[in-house]
Protein backbone atom coordinates (compact mmCIF):
# COMPACT_ATOMS: atom_id res chain seq x y z
CA UNK A 1 0.00 0.00 0.00
CA UNK A 2 1.30 3.45 -0.92
CA UNK A 3 0.12 6.24 1.33
CA UNK A 4 2.08 8.94 -0.49
CA UNK A 5 1.67 9.05 -4.24
CA UNK A 6 4.88 9.44 -6.14
CA UNK A 7 5.46 11.80 -9.03
CA UNK A 8 7.53 9.01 -10.62
CA UNK A 9 6.17 6.21 -12.74
CA UNK A 10 6.06 2.90 -10.82
CA UNK A 11 9.16 1.26 -12.38
CA UNK A 12 11.26 4.37 -11.67
CA UNK A 13 9.85 4.63 -8.14
CA UNK A 14 10.78 1.02 -7.47
CA UNK A 15 14.38 1.51 -8.71
CA UNK A 16 14.84 4.72 -6.74
CA UNK A 17 13.18 3.20 -3.67
CA UNK A 18 15.46 0.16 -3.73
CA UNK A 19 18.56 2.35 -4.09
CA UNK A 20 17.41 4.53 -1.21
CA UNK A 21 16.52 1.60 1.07
CA UNK A 22 19.84 -0.16 0.45
CA UNK A 23 21.67 3.11 1.12
CA UNK A 24 19.69 3.65 4.32
CA UNK A 25 20.77 0.25 5.66
CA UNK A 26 24.41 0.97 4.77
CA UNK A 27 24.29 4.38 6.43
CA UNK A 28 22.70 3.14 9.64
CA UNK A 29 25.22 0.30 9.78
CA UNK A 30 28.14 2.66 9.16
CA UNK A 31 26.95 4.92 11.98
CA UNK A 32 26.91 1.93 14.34
CA UNK A 33 30.40 0.86 13.23
CA UNK A 34 31.61 4.40 13.81
CA UNK A 35 30.19 4.56 17.33
CA UNK A 36 31.45 1.08 18.27
CA UNK A 37 34.95 2.04 17.15
CA UNK A 38 34.60 5.48 18.84
CA UNK A 39 33.90 3.84 22.20
CA UNK A 40 36.60 1.17 21.92
CA UNK A 41 39.59 2.80 20.22
CA UNK A 42 42.93 2.72 21.99
CA UNK A 43 46.40 3.76 20.92
CA UNK A 44 48.61 6.80 20.50
CA UNK A 45 46.25 8.45 17.99
CA UNK A 46 43.19 7.85 20.15
CA UNK A 47 42.02 11.46 20.36
CA UNK A 48 42.29 12.47 16.71
CA UNK A 49 40.67 9.27 15.40
CA UNK A 50 38.08 9.31 18.21
CA UNK A 51 36.97 12.77 17.05
CA UNK A 52 37.14 11.81 13.37
CA UNK A 53 34.80 8.89 14.06
CA UNK A 54 32.24 11.37 15.37
CA UNK A 55 32.41 13.14 12.00
CA UNK A 56 31.62 9.88 10.21
CA UNK A 57 28.72 9.17 12.56
CA UNK A 58 27.34 12.68 12.12
CA UNK A 59 27.61 12.45 8.32
CA UNK A 60 26.01 9.02 8.10
CA UNK A 61 23.17 9.91 10.46
CA UNK A 62 22.43 13.14 8.62
CA UNK A 63 22.40 11.41 5.25
CA UNK A 64 20.36 8.51 6.61
CA UNK A 65 17.66 11.04 7.45
CA UNK A 66 17.84 12.64 4.00
CA UNK A 67 17.76 9.25 2.26
CA UNK A 68 14.79 8.07 4.34
CA UNK A 69 12.88 11.30 3.73
CA UNK A 70 13.55 11.07 0.00
CA UNK A 71 12.14 7.54 0.01
CA UNK A 72 9.07 8.70 1.92
CA UNK A 73 8.58 11.57 -0.54
CA UNK A 74 8.49 8.97 -3.32
CA UNK A 75 5.88 6.92 -1.49
CA UNK A 76 8.35 4.28 -0.33
CA UNK A 77 8.21 3.53 3.39
CA UNK A 78 11.81 3.63 4.65
CA UNK A 79 12.78 0.72 6.88
CA UNK A 80 15.43 1.54 9.45
CA UNK A 81 14.29 -0.94 12.07
CA UNK A 82 17.10 -2.66 13.96
CA UNK A 83 16.08 -6.09 12.69
CA UNK A 84 16.15 -4.83 9.09
CA UNK A 85 19.59 -3.32 9.49
CA UNK A 86 20.88 -6.44 11.27
CA UNK A 87 19.50 -8.74 8.56
CA UNK A 88 20.65 -6.73 5.54
CA UNK A 89 23.86 -4.99 6.61
CA UNK A 90 26.92 -6.73 5.21
CA UNK A 91 29.82 -4.29 5.28
CA UNK A 92 32.85 -5.13 7.38
CA UNK A 93 32.33 -4.82 11.09
CA UNK A 94 34.60 -4.31 14.08
CA UNK A 95 35.59 -7.21 16.27
CA UNK A 96 34.41 -7.26 19.86
CA UNK A 97 36.43 -5.40 22.48
CA UNK A 98 39.17 -2.80 22.33
CA UNK A 99 40.38 -1.73 18.91
CA UNK A 100 43.89 -0.52 18.18
CA UNK A 101 43.95 2.85 16.39
CA UNK A 102 45.57 1.35 13.26
CA UNK A 103 42.92 -1.37 13.23
CA UNK A 104 40.14 1.23 13.42
CA UNK A 105 41.59 3.10 10.49
CA UNK A 106 41.79 -0.07 8.37
CA UNK A 107 38.24 -0.97 9.38
CA UNK A 108 36.84 2.42 8.41
CA UNK A 109 38.77 2.64 5.15
CA UNK A 110 37.47 -0.80 4.17
CA UNK A 111 33.86 -0.27 5.25
CA UNK A 112 33.68 3.14 3.58
CA UNK A 113 35.28 1.77 0.41
CA UNK A 114 32.69 -1.01 0.22
CA UNK A 115 29.83 1.42 0.85
CA UNK A 116 31.15 3.81 -1.82
CA UNK A 117 31.39 0.99 -4.37
CA UNK A 118 27.78 0.05 -3.72
CA UNK A 119 26.68 3.67 -3.88
CA UNK A 120 28.31 4.07 -7.30
CA UNK A 121 26.22 1.16 -8.60
CA UNK A 122 23.08 2.75 -7.15
CA UNK A 123 23.99 6.08 -8.74
CA UNK A 124 24.14 4.34 -12.12
CA UNK A 125 20.82 2.55 -11.48
CA UNK A 126 19.11 5.80 -10.45
CA UNK A 127 20.37 7.77 -13.46
CA UNK A 128 17.38 7.05 -15.68
CA UNK A 129 14.88 6.39 -12.90
CA UNK A 130 15.22 9.57 -10.82
CA UNK A 131 17.81 12.31 -11.17
CA UNK A 132 16.90 13.75 -7.75
CA UNK A 133 17.68 10.47 -6.00
CA UNK A 134 20.81 10.16 -8.10
CA UNK A 135 21.90 13.64 -7.02
CA UNK A 136 21.39 12.77 -3.35
CA UNK A 137 23.43 9.59 -3.76
CA UNK A 138 26.18 11.53 -5.55
CA UNK A 139 26.46 14.07 -2.72
CA UNK A 140 26.49 11.23 -0.18
CA UNK A 141 29.29 9.50 -2.11
CA UNK A 142 31.26 12.76 -2.11
CA UNK A 143 31.04 12.95 1.69
CA UNK A 144 31.92 9.31 2.28
CA UNK A 145 34.88 9.53 -0.11
CA UNK A 146 36.15 12.52 1.84
CA UNK A 147 35.89 10.56 5.09
CA UNK A 148 37.61 7.55 3.53
CA UNK A 149 40.47 9.74 2.30
CA UNK A 150 40.94 11.25 5.76
CA UNK A 151 41.10 7.82 7.38
CA UNK A 152 43.43 6.42 4.74
CA UNK A 153 45.80 9.34 5.28
CA UNK A 154 45.96 8.39 8.99
CA UNK A 155 47.87 5.19 8.24
CA UNK A 156 50.51 6.51 5.90
CA UNK A 157 52.94 5.03 5.29
CA UNK A 158 50.91 1.85 5.14
CA UNK A 159 51.87 -1.05 7.33
CA UNK A 160 50.82 -3.60 4.64
Amino acid sequence: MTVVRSTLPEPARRIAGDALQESLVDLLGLSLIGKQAHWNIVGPRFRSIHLQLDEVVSTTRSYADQVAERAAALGVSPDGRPETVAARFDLREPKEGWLRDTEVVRLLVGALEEAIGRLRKRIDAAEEADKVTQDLLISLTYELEKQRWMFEAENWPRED
Side-chain angles (χ1 to χ4, degrees):
M1 170 176 86
T2 301
V3 174
V4 176
R5 275 188 347 159
S6 176
T7 57
L8 295 176
E10 184 54 30
R13 184 183 80 87
R14 196 170 27 258
I15 291 167
D18 288 349
L20 292 164
Q21 180 58 44
E22 291 167 9
S23 298
L24 178 61
V25 168
D26 282 355
L27 288 165
L28 294 173
L30 283 169
S31 75
L32 294 172
I33 288 172
K35 270 303 175 189
Q36 183 66 20
H38 174 87
W39 297 321
N40 286 285
I41 187 171
V42 293
R45 293 178 296 155
F46 163 83
R47 181 151 174 80
S48 65
I49 297 171
H50 180 81
L51 295 173
Q52 191 174 345
L53 287 163
D54 271 340
E55 290 178 30
V56 170
V57 171
S58 178
T59 297
T60 55
R61 287 181 177 170
S62 174
Y63 270 95
D65 192 50
Q66 291 178 58
V67 163
E69 288 180 354
R70 177 68 188 152
L74 294 177
V76 176
S77 176
D79 190 354
R81 296 173 300 153
E83 60 267 24
T84 301
V85 176
R88 294 169 108 179
F89 185 74
D90 64 352
L91 297 175
R92 48 189 86 193
E93 299 177 30
K95 67 178 179 119
E96 185 178 344
W98 303 112
L99 300 166
R100 176 87 180 159
D101 52 3
T102 53
E103 190 178 3
V104 168
V105 170
R106 279 193 303 273
L107 169 69
L108 267 290
V109 167
L112 289 166
E113 190 170 298
E114 290 172 29
I116 290 162
R118 291 152 62 136
L119 275 166
R120 289 188 171 281
K121 291 177 183 169
R122 294 177 200 137
I123 288 167
D124 290 343
E127 183 175 13
E128 293 299 317
D130 181 30
K131 300 278 191 208
V132 177
T133 294
Q134 184 190 40
D135 184 58
L136 175 58
L137 298 178
I138 289 169
S139 67
L140 166 58
T141 302
Y142 166 83
E143 290 298 330
L144 293 185
E145 284 182 337
K146 181 172 73 172
Q147 290 296 330
R148 185 194 166 283
W149 157 61
M150 290 180 176
F151 275 104
E152 190 168 41
E154 283 283 346
N155 269 356
W156 192 86
R158 286 194 190 109
E159 299 172 347
D160 302 336

